Amino acid sequence: FPVTIEWAGKESRWYAGTGEFHGNSSDLNGDGIYASTDSGESWELLAGSRTKTPQSWDGAFEYVYSLAMDYSNTQQDELYVATALGGIHRSTDGGKSFRSVLGSLGNQSSLFSDIAITPSGIVYATMSQIGGGGSISKVKGIWRSVDGVKWVNITPQGFPEP
């Protein structure tokens, strides 16, 4: 059956992450997340994600894997970002500021992560096993959140290890 998404007047708001940790021969550092409020006609770097030194790694927003906007939240511009070496980050002000909500830098981080949001606002995240410094991450697996703050690990028992 078809799913109807209520865009809440946000159809002209677009986001683009920079950097590529794996998938090329040189690992390209980025410099944060860019936003457009006019359907891609112009772009502005979000201050809350600016790394200031893309020539060397100094923050999670240098490698953005995926972005997801919660269109069901009509009160806030709620944006989620999945990063390398940093986990999942959430903004409720359209990217002016971010807070780490799942995984973080250090031995709790995830090398690979992804984020998706259902039309009703339920957030799903995946986190890889290997954390910073080669340690085992306690946030590995598949996660679910109804509010973007409290997360439940829903990884099926016996889920294969990488």
Side-chain angles (χ1 to χ4, degrees), residues 78-161:
E78 189 172 359
L79 174 67
Y80 292 85
V81 182
T83 65
L85 306 173
I88 306 298
H89 307 271
R90 177 179 182 240
S91 173
T92 56
D93 57 13
K96 293 181 183 121
S97 64
F98 286 91
R99 193 174 113 224
S100 178
V101 292
L102 184 62
S104 62
L105 297 176
N107 65 3
Q108 298 298 306
S109 69
S110 174
L111 186 59
F112 297 103
S113 59
D114 200 3
I115 191 82
I117 304 175
T118 68
S120 62
I122 297 174
V123 185
Y124 290 92
T126 59
M127 308 289 282
S128 69
Q129 178 179 2
I130 305 301
S135 65
I136 301 300
S137 174
K138 293 180 182 174
V139 296
K140 72 176 181 170
I142 303 168
W143 295 79
R144 180 182 189 270
S145 177
V146 296
D147 62 6
V149 177
K150 297 175 193 150
W151 294 83
V152 176
N153 189 330
I154 61 167
T155 307
Q157 186 147 359
F159 196 73
E161 295 287 331

